[in-house]
């Protein structure tokens, strides 16, 4: 008995898994498997087909065939026994008997086939033994995982204990600052709350004592300094002493802040919040020209990519202002290619630089039902290999000296634009503490979580077209400081597109309109 190959194929003849157990060429096995669908009959559960050289022993499995290719001298009974064992193994590893399920578990099936058949002969194994052999369970691995989990649990316990000690010391400290005890009569009551107010009441205890107790507690733990007491809100009558809900959120972080640790809190952006929050339009008609800048600079100089993509959008507040046309000036940059919206009149734009709908009786969409960014009228694109078109170039010079790496970074801004809110993000190697800043033009912040140094310049204009940053870190390779990411914005654009006039189609005075221009970075890197 010699099994040449064990395969799983689809009814159409597509080979999903095939494992060869003798030395065969790929062309030969592909030819044998491709010929099988033409030889198999219909209406049979499992059987075999013989050719001049080989025998196919197969069994349908839903929409697939489990197939053994053997030589003609093989014992058919042993082949059927091997086929039966493999048919039990396939559902054990593939829960969905289709092309997708077999493809996901192809390697597991091949390993299982190897445990059943060795050099073309069937091994004396069961399904349970095959699964055990393939799992390759290791007592040492289980012991290592148990030890690792115990260390994790022990670290969590130490963390909780330290947090509890910090909280307790903070409460004791705050108790000492507030006097610790309040005297009342001949006894004393220890104040373990953060805010207790005692006020007189019209109803008294006994005769003429006229003493009532109204207690309001803002928080069981210590209140932050400078917060207004909440005793101005009187409790409902009949409820007596009430305790407020304890705020356990971020108590550990608050304790670390009280100890002097610098905590950087992540602020998750709200759903739908844009990267640049533009003020809501107040004019009846607002036209916004925005350009997105994609630039990739080489660290040794030169440009790998320079691409500007711009859009002109229209936003109308009142429905009666929808029947209009917009007249623009394109500027004098010949490298910019303009494309109008499919609903725009292309001939009108190419001849007179006027943006209007093909149907002059159809108004532009208006009101809050439209897009918040407005209706797109015009798109343009510019690509260039001229380095002078780059608004901001970055030079980074890392140098190793002894046990330290000195990094000097310099920016040079073009006089074309005044850049706002410039942030240059420099990746750093893994550090235990912030880098040593020797000299900087602007502000800096170290993001320890992402191991990034952020260099911020609020405004770059004619007074500071160039600037530098120098810092020192432990020894590191020069490639660790790349790629450098840059983001900024500007109120000028490359196309210098201007709205000249808004023409009402119903006649009358031209409506008031406002124009906005904005240049932002979408992907600006030095690699």
């Amino acid at each position: 008995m010699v099994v040449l190959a064990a395969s799983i194929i689809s009814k159409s003849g597509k080979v999903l898994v095939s494992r060869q157990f003798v030395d065969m060429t790929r062309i030969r096995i592909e030819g044998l498997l491709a010929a099988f669908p033409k030889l198999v009959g219909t209406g049979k559960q499992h059987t075999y087909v013989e050719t001049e050289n080989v025998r196919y022993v197969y069994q349908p499995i839903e929409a697939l065939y489990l197939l053994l290719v053997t030589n003609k001298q093989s014992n058919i009974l042993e082949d059927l026994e091997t086929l039966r064992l493999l048919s039990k193994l396939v559902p054990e590893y593939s829960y969905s008997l289709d092309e997708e399920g077999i493809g996901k578990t192809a390697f597991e099936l091949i390993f299982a086939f190897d445990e059943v058949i060795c050099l073309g002969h069937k091994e004396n194994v069961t399904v349970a033994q095959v699964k055990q052999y393939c799992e390759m369970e290791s007592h040492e691995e289980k012991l290592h995982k148990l030890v690792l989990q115990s260390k994790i649990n022990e670290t969590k316990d130490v963390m909780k204990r330290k947090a509890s000690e910090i909280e307790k010391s903070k409460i004791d400290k705050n108790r000492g600052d507030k006097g610790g005890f309040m005297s009342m009569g001949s006894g004393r009551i220890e104040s373990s709350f953060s805010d207790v107010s005692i006020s007189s009441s019209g109803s008294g205890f006994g005769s003429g004592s006229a003493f009532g107790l109204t207690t309001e507690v803002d928080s069981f733990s210590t209140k932050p300094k400078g917060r207004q007491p909440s005793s101005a809100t009187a409790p409902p009558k009949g409820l007596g002493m009430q305790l407020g809900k304890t705020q356990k959120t971020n108590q550990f972080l608050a304790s670390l802040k009280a100890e002097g640790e610098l905590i950087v809190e992540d602020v998750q952006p709200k759903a739908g919040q844009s990267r640049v929050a533009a003020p809501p339009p107040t004019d009846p008609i607002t036209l916004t020209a925005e350009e997105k800048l994609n630039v990739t600079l080489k660290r040794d100089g030169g440009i790998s990519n320079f691409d500007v993509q711009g859009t002109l959008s229209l936003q109308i507040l009142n429905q009666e202002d929808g029947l209009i046309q917009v007249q623009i000036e394109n500027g004098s940059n010949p490298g910019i290619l303009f494309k109008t919206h499919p609903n725009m009149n292309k001939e009108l734009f190419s001849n007179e630089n006027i943006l209007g709908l093909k149907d002059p009786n159809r108004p532009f969409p208006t009101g809050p039902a439209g897009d918040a960014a407005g209706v797109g009228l015009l798109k343009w694109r510019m690509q260039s290999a001229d380095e002078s078109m780059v608004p901001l170039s970055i030079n980074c010079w890392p140098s190793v000296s002894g046990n330290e790496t000195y990094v000097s970074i310099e920016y040079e801004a073009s006089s074309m634009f005044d850049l706002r809110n410039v942030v240059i993000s420099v990746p750093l190697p893994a550090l235990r503490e912030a880098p040593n800043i020797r000299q900087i033009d602007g502000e800096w912040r170290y993001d320890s979580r992402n191991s990034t140094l952020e260099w911020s310049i609020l405004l770059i204009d004619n007074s500071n077209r160039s600037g530098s940053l120098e810092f020192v870190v432990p020894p590191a390779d020069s490639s660790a400081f790349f790629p450098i990411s840059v983001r900024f914005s500007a109120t000028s654009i490359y196309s210098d597109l201007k709205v000249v006039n808004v023409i009402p189609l119903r006649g009358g005075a031209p409506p008031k309109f406002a124009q906005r221009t904005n240049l932002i970075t979408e992907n600006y890197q030095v690699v």
Side-chain angles (χ1 to χ4, degrees):
M1 170 192 176
V2 176
V3 178
L4 304 180
S7 309
I8 299 177
I9 64 175
S10 64
K11 292 292 181 66
S12 60
K14 180 181 179 181
V15 182
L16 305 179
V17 174
S18 182
R19 176 61 169 154
Q20 288 67 252
F21 301 100
V22 297
D23 190 11
M24 298 176 63
T25 63
R26 178 178 177 178
I27 296 177
R28 174 166 170 74
I29 189 61
E30 287 181 348
L32 293 174
L33 295 178
F36 171 72
K38 302 175 183 178
L39 302 174
V40 66
T42 58
K44 298 181 181 180
Q45 291 297 321
H46 56 81
T47 182
Y48 67 92
V49 177
E50 289 188 355
T51 62
E52 295 181 359
N53 299 319
V54 297
R55 176 189 298 151
Y56 299 96
V57 183
Y58 66 94
Q59 176 178 338
I61 304 179
E62 295 187 2
L64 308 175
Y65 280 122
L66 177 61
L67 175 64
L68 294 181
V69 182
T70 69
N71 56 17
K72 297 182 68 173
Q73 293 77 26
S74 176
N75 190 334
I76 186 64
L77 297 179
E78 293 185 5
D79 294 340
L80 291 174
E81 182 66 21
T82 304
L83 185 67
R84 183 186 64 83
L85 181 58
L86 294 181
S87 66
K88 293 181 180 180
L89 281 173
V90 172
E92 292 290 336
Y93 290 96
S94 179
Y95 296 101
S96 59
L97 298 177
D98 52 11
E99 294 187 14
E100 183 179 0
I102 297 297
K104 289 181 178 179
T105 58
F107 288 100
E108 288 80 359
L109 290 172
I110 290 176
F111 297 151
F113 289 175
D114 284 344
E115 297 295 334
V116 176
I117 303 173
C118 179
L119 298 177
H121 299 277
K122 178 181 177 298
E123 296 287 334
N124 188 17
V125 292
T126 63
V127 174
Q129 289 176 334
V130 171
K131 293 187 67 177
Q132 182 180 1
Y133 296 158
C134 291
E135 285 177 1
M136 295 185 293
E137 294 186 354
S138 171
H139 176 72
E140 289 77 6
E141 182 182 1
K142 290 182 178 179
L143 182 62
H144 173 73
K145 290 182 178 179
L146 289 175
V147 172
L148 184 62
Q149 187 63 38
S150 65
K151 291 182 179 180
I152 294 175
N153 295 335
E154 183 180 355
T155 305
K156 289 182 179 179
D157 294 338
V158 173
M159 182 185 67
K160 291 179 181 179
R161 188 165 61 251
K162 291 291 185 182
S164 178
E165 291 176 359
I166 293 174
E167 188 70 21
K168 183 178 179 181
S169 63
K170 187 173 178 60
I171 293 175
D172 293 340
K173 178 182 178 182
N174 201 45
R175 181 188 304 165
D177 293 340
K178 292 189 176 183
F181 300 96
M182 347 179 257
S183 61
M184 184 166 58
S186 58
R188 62 181 183 177
I189 300 177
E190 183 177 353
S191 173
S192 60
F193 300 97
S194 63
D195 207 5
V196 180
S197 63
I198 301 175
S199 61
S200 300
S201 175
S203 62
F205 300 108
S207 58
S209 61
F211 180 79
L213 182 64
T214 302
T215 305
E216 293 181 359
V217 180
D218 179 68
S219 175
F220 186 82
S221 61
T222 306
K223 274 176 45 177
K225 295 181 180 180
R227 182 175 174 183
Q228 296 296 328
S230 60
S231 59
T233 306
K237 294 183 180 180
L239 296 180
M241 181 181 292
Q242 292 183 344
L243 299 181
K245 293 183 179 180
T246 304
Q247 297 181 355
K248 295 293 184 181
T249 307
N250 292 336
Q251 287 187 357
F252 183 58
L253 294 179
S255 302
L256 292 178
K257 288 181 180 178
E259 296 296 327
E261 294 289 339
L262 179 61
I263 304 297
V264 179
E265 298 182 359
D266 291 336
V267 179
Q268 298 295 335
K270 298 181 180 179
Q273 183 178 3
S274 61
R275 181 176 54 183
V276 179
T282 58
D283 296 282
I285 299 175
T286 303
L287 292 116
T288 303
E290 183 180 76
E291 290 184 344
K292 295 182 179 180
L293 190 59
N294 293 274
V295 176
T296 304
L297 303 175
K298 300 178 182 179
R299 67 182 71 177
D300 298 328
I303 304 178
S304 295
N305 178 45
F306 181 88
D307 181 72
V308 178
Q309 296 182 0
T311 57
L312 176 64
S313 58
L314 169 67
Q315 191 167 7
I316 304 174
L317 296 182
N318 303 320
Q319 189 173 3
E320 56 270 16
D321 297 330
L323 288 172
I324 58 172
Q325 291 180 343
V326 180
Q327 185 177 6
I328 65 171
E329 285 184 0
N330 295 344
S332 58
N333 196 331
I336 297 180
L337 302 176
F338 290 91
K339 282 188 178 182
T340 59
H341 191 276
N343 293 333
M344 295 290 111
N345 190 334
K346 291 182 170 49
E347 294 182 359
L348 185 64
F349 174 73
S350 59
N351 296 331
E352 304 180 27
N353 282 343
I354 295 178
L355 293 168
L357 294 174
K358 292 180 180 179
D359 184 3
N361 297 321
R362 178 183 174 185
F364 284 103
T366 59
D371 188 3
V375 180
L377 304 181
L378 187 67
K379 288 185 178 181
W380 60 90
R381 185 173 184 180
M382 182 183 73
Q383 292 181 330
S384 175
D386 186 3
E387 195 170 356
S388 63
M389 300 295 291
V390 176
L392 186 68
S393 59
I394 307 294
N395 295 320
C396 181
W397 298 85
S399 60
V400 179
S401 177
N403 294 327
E404 293 179 326
T405 299
Y406 293 84
V407 182
S408 298
I409 302 178
E410 181 184 14
Y411 76 81
E412 293 184 3
S414 171
S415 59
M416 293 187 296
F417 304 108
D418 290 342
L419 308 181
R420 305 174 185 272
N421 302 321
V422 182
V423 179
I424 303 172
S425 300
V426 184
L428 301 177
L431 303 177
R432 293 185 177 180
E433 55 186 15
N436 182 13
I437 306 298
R438 296 292 181 89
Q439 186 271 331
I440 185 171
D441 294 329
E443 303 292 333
W444 68 279
R445 186 180 76 90
Y446 174 57
D447 185 359
S448 58
R449 177 175 298 180
N450 298 318
S451 189
T452 304
L453 177 63
E454 293 187 352
W455 179 15
S456 304
I457 304 99
L458 190 61
L459 175 65
I460 296 180
D461 54 11
N462 291 329
S463 63
N464 58 344
R465 291 295 179 189
S466 62
S468 60
L469 163 67
E470 183 178 352
F471 62 91
V472 180
V473 294
D477 187 71
S478 60
S479 60
F481 305 99
F482 294 93
I484 300 175
S485 301
V486 184
R487 63 179 186 270
F488 56 81
S489 63
T491 56
S492 301
I493 55 179
Y494 280 94
S495 61
D496 199 21
L497 185 143
K498 296 179 181 179
V499 177
V500 180
N501 193 14
V502 174
I503 306 170
L505 296 180
R506 292 180 178 177
K512 295 182 179 179
F513 69 93
Q515 181 182 5
R516 297 175 179 175
T517 57
N518 191 23
L519 174 68
I520 60 175
T521 56
E522 188 173 45
N523 185 14
Y524 201 111
Q525 288 187 333
V526 182
V527 298

